Amino acid sequence: MSIQNFKSSDPFALEGASNSTNAAGIIHIRLQQRNGRKTLTTVAGLVVRHVKHEKAVLQKWKKEFCCNGTIIHDKGETVFQLQGDHCEDIMKFLISEEMATKNQIKVHGWK
């Protein structure tokens, strides 16, 4: 008898693609539960040309959404983390700044 519940999985893994490349060009916005009512919004797959531009985007989000955040570089992929539930705000921001189209954005989480 084997236990099937304990399979480990990468929450940022793309379906059918490797972690380091975003071949489809899809931006994944996820809402993750921390403890209690606290949540994290993560943005994976956003391609920004330079580290200075990544920091500028994060600063803009932090100021506009009144929250704290960080950038995580993991296995060649950049993941933006923001405190709180900002999925809809980030999606509207990316579309208004023409960084992505609505078809390129995939929102995960509850709502």
Side-chain angles (χ1 to χ4, degrees):
M1 174 169 49
S2 65
I3 299 174
Q4 298 295 322
N5 301 13
F6 298 110
K7 291 183 179 177
S8 64
S9 64
D10 185 10
F12 296 111
L14 299 174
E15 295 86 12
S18 67
N19 283 345
S20 61
T21 61
N22 191 358
I26 296 176
I27 299 170
H28 294 275
I29 302 173
R30 291 182 174 83
L31 186 64
Q32 296 178 341
Q33 187 76 30
R34 280 181 39 212
N35 49 0
R37 295 184 342 204
K38 308 287 184 180
T39 56
L40 277 178
T41 302
T42 58
V43 181
L46 181 63
V47 178
V48 183
R49 296 178 190 220
H50 197 270
V51 176
K52 290 181 184 178
H53 300 296
E54 289 175 355
K55 291 180 182 179
V57 168
L58 183 67
Q59 287 294 88
K60 178 82 171 170
W61 285 349
K62 286 167 58 173
K63 189 169 186 175
E64 191 169 317
F65 306 144
C66 298
C67 65
N68 199 1
T70 187
I71 301 172
I72 298 172
H73 297 281
D74 183 35
K75 299 178 185 173
E77 185 177 30
T78 303
V79 178
F80 295 87
Q81 278 188 345
L82 295 172
Q83 290 180 353
D85 181 6
H86 301 289
C87 294
E88 295 294 322
D89 298 330
I90 290 174
M91 186 173 75
K92 290 176 186 175
F93 177 85
L94 293 174
I95 293 170
S96 69
E97 294 292 324
E98 298 178 356
M99 295 176 79
T101 62
K102 192 169 184 174
N103 296 334
Q104 291 176 322
I105 300 172
K106 189 170 184 181
V107 180
H108 306 273
W110 67 89
K111 287 240 177 179

